[in-house]
Amino acid sequence: MIRAFILSLFFGLSAAAADDLADAKVAFTNLITYQKTDDIRALDLFSKHCLITYTVNDGKTEKIAVVPAEAFLEGLKKEIAQKHGSKDEYEDVKFSSDGPKVTVTATIRNPGSDKRSPFFAVYGRDVDDGAMRIEKFKITIFIHEPKQ
């Protein structure tokens, strides 16, 4: 009886992990779509307590900045309002699950330059509604100095 319980628990957890992975893939696909179309729903893809880390590279130095979730979401809202749409392409996208968390790594390529930057996100279930949301987000931003 205990053996049957343990087996059912194992298979139940395996199914939940598969659901987490599938749901994270859908959420990631939505992120890309919303970036390209400047869809305000992109804000809903991030946890209210998301940890956002930017690495800012000016070609000479790199600086790391941790941005509070509220400030990040406000900045994202302003960026979406400008309706520029993203032309970035995601390459070598990989998903891995560790319990209820799903990690996504990729390389972002801007078609207008040869710059490539790493992308890292950890998805987890929101405690309020169970949706997969980004809980950790790391990205590198290249800043170009104006030519004189």
Side-chain angles (χ1 to χ4, degrees), residues 13-87:
L13 292 175
S14 295
D19 289 345
D20 291 341
L21 188 60
D23 290 350
K25 287 180 178 183
V26 169
F28 179 74
T29 300
N30 288 341
L31 175 67
I32 294 169
T33 300
Y34 296 167
Q35 284 178 332
K36 291 183 183 302
T37 60
D38 286 318
D39 193 317
I40 197 68
R41 292 179 292 176
L43 298 172
D44 296 332
L45 300 176
F46 293 87
S47 163
K48 294 176 188 169
H49 306 290
C50 185
L51 176 63
I52 296 99
T53 306
Y54 286 114
T55 300
V56 181
N57 183 321
D58 66 4
K60 298 175 188 169
T61 61
E62 286 189 346
K63 296 179 183 175
I64 295 175
V66 177
V67 180
E70 188 174 297
F72 169 77
L73 293 172
E74 190 59 38
L76 182 57
K77 186 187 295 184
K78 288 177 183 176
E79 186 69 27
I80 290 169
Q82 293 179 19
K83 298 293 183 193
H84 293 294
S86 172
K87 294 182 181 22

Side-chain angles (χ1 to χ4, degrees), residues 63-127:
K63 296 179 183 175
I64 295 175
V66 177
V67 180
E70 188 174 297
F72 169 77
L73 293 172
E74 190 59 38
L76 182 57
K77 186 187 295 184
K78 288 177 183 176
E79 186 69 27
I80 290 169
Q82 293 179 19
K83 298 293 183 193
H84 293 294
S86 172
K87 294 182 181 22
D88 291 342
E89 296 176 4
Y90 290 78
E91 301 173 337
D92 197 26
V93 179
K94 294 180 181 151
F95 296 85
S96 62
S97 61
D98 183 19
K101 306 294 182 195
V102 177
T103 300
V104 181
T105 58
T107 300
I108 300 175
R109 182 177 70 84
N110 183 312
S113 76
D114 62 347
K115 301 287 186 199
R116 285 177 163 72
S117 60
F119 171 91
F120 173 86
V122 175
Y123 284 83
R125 295 247 175 235
D126 188 281
V127 293

